[in-house]
Amino acid sequence: MSTRKNPTADFSEAGLRALAGPRSFDRGTEYLNAVTALEVGDGWITATVHGTDAYEARLTFGGGEGLTGMCTCPYGQEGNFCKHLVAVGLSVLGRPESLPRQRARARERARDLDAWLAARSRDELLALVREQMAHDRGFRSRMRLRAATARHDLAEIRTQVSALLDSGPFAQYGCLAGGAAHSYAEQAAQAVAALAELTAHGRAADAVSLSREAIDELGRRYEETDDSDGALSSVLAQLAEVHLDACRAASPDPTETAQWLVVHLLGDLAHATGVALRDYRHVLGPEGLAVTRELTTEAHQRNPSGWVEKDLMRTLNTMEGRVDALIARHASNLRPDGGTHLRIARELALAGRPAEALQWAERGVTEAPDPAVLDSDLLDYLSTRYERSGHLAQAVILRRDHFTAHPTLTTYQALHAAAQTADTWPAERENALKILRTTAARGEADRPNGPALIDALLDDGDLDTAWQAASTTGTADHQWLTLADRIRDTRPADALPVYLRLLEPLKKSTGAAAYEQLTSLLLNISACHRLLGTDEDFTAYATTLRTELKRKRKLMAMWDEHGV
């Protein structure tokens, strides 16, 4: 999974800090000695970083997306720019050579390698390939698969596809996780590419049967895989596309196709492959659709409350033109939040009746007894319809009305997006902030989440105004902490009192979560003193704090680990 990205963040210490945040950046500086196997390419860097485990980290830069990163650590797989990526970036920036010179050297190495390979004789290149095949099982399987595909050897193709889908060499304790899962997905993608070549070379019928077998096999591996980065899901989706393309080219038996399709759609893998019944309409034809309805009806009768069975029945109704009956059933029991109106609108849109779909979506908004509780999906749907048809002002009015009725960060962000598209954001923002200031003045700061005004200003990056508003109207502790984190490097004198105040009540707490918070706050307090040039004051404060909390041995060990 790609981590958070910032098109404006360049590959620099400041860019790394902007993506990682203060805490991950500071922790990354502690892992510089844990970076191994560092390789710099032209626009990319890879390395292994040793922490709780050995994690594979990759930075990409110089493209349209700015600086991005991927790491196999748990925090990185959630989409975060982790400390390991910071360590890799700082390791490269800390080299004597400048980054442009390192990239130039990478290009030079690539050219040298290409030139060296081009100068080898046919026998020398064959020897290199054979050497690699002898030591690399995955490479050997890929070469055998290509050879089998070239000579149309179906039995060998099946054997080699099965070999590439074998997760045994990657599994640990019966499961796939982290870098092993990612490596397995890359190998499985080779099998998918070979199956696609079958259709391209006129062997679509073979591709149909083999891709179905591969989907079943890969599905079993998927169940034992930690696919938090989505790598294996992506391969499954590609494999499903290969199967669909092969079916379109080969026109397989409609009854057999319907049977396979219904079993797959009712199973656990449909969400990963993205297989959709609508895509197979022309493949199935009238005969296949009849079989599909028969099998789906039987499944629905066996499990009438199952949402998968219901959704499949609804899709069939839409495909077969039974939309009006479906709409009549939904219209008899409309939800007050507009959710049922949205379902009707979507059914009409799928049936090729966009004007009626828009009318039902608009009715969902106008007929809602309380605008504050409108279904967010309905608002998103209607706003998107307005924007796509060029009615930008209507999208802004829709978002403005909802924000006025329910002023939260989420509705503020939705209004911001619509007004930005319509090029009216400055005026809309001024009016929206007035509403949020009025709400904050009524005492929203006393609520657990704090005033939405502060969240909105933070979301806009207007830190000075957010600080002034928090100081005037008050705010929740978590918002104070966010504010302090955002201004720490530029205004340490303002951030320091916040960290000191938030630390005090935690001194009475115990447990891992409390100790993590205490450690984080103490690290930030240390950073503030370092920026202010008052390290002696921090030393005195930390010494007093350690004396006071010395009985908390796990906390002391944690502080020792972080060097505070």
Side-chain angles (χ1 to χ4, degrees), residues 315-363:
T315 302
L316 276 168
N317 287 336
T318 302
M319 291 171 62
E320 296 175 349
R322 304 185 184 189
V323 178
D324 290 325
L326 191 64
I327 290 173
R329 187 161 71 249
H330 289 323
S332 65
N333 186 24
L334 295 171
R335 283 165 41 186
D337 66 354
T340 319
H341 293 78
L342 173 60
R343 170 173 275 191
I344 293 172
R346 284 175 168 163
E347 295 291 351
L348 287 165
L350 287 171
R353 295 156 65 176
E356 294 174 77
L358 180 61
Q359 290 173 1
W360 270 99
E362 290 176 329
R363 280 183 56 184

Side-chain angles (χ1 to χ4, degrees), residues 66-116:
L67 177 62
T68 65
M70 296 175 61
C71 184
T72 58
C73 75
Y75 190 59
Q77 289 183 13
E78 292 174 1
N80 299 296
F81 201 94
C82 65
K83 60 190 177 184
H84 307 109
L85 291 169
V86 171
V88 171
L90 292 177
S91 295
V92 173
L93 292 172
R95 288 184 169 187
E97 291 182 301
S98 67
L99 184 60
R101 290 185 62 189
Q102 293 182 60
R103 293 183 66 179
R105 287 188 61 196
R107 289 192 292 270
E108 184 180 349
R109 287 195 299 269
R111 286 194 299 268
D112 290 345
L113 180 58
D114 285 343
W116 182 80

Side-chain angles (χ1 to χ4, degrees), residues 249-265:
S251 299
D253 178 77
T255 297
E256 184 181 329
T257 301
Q259 292 170 340
W260 178 85
L261 196 56
V262 172
V263 169
H264 181 78
L265 291 171

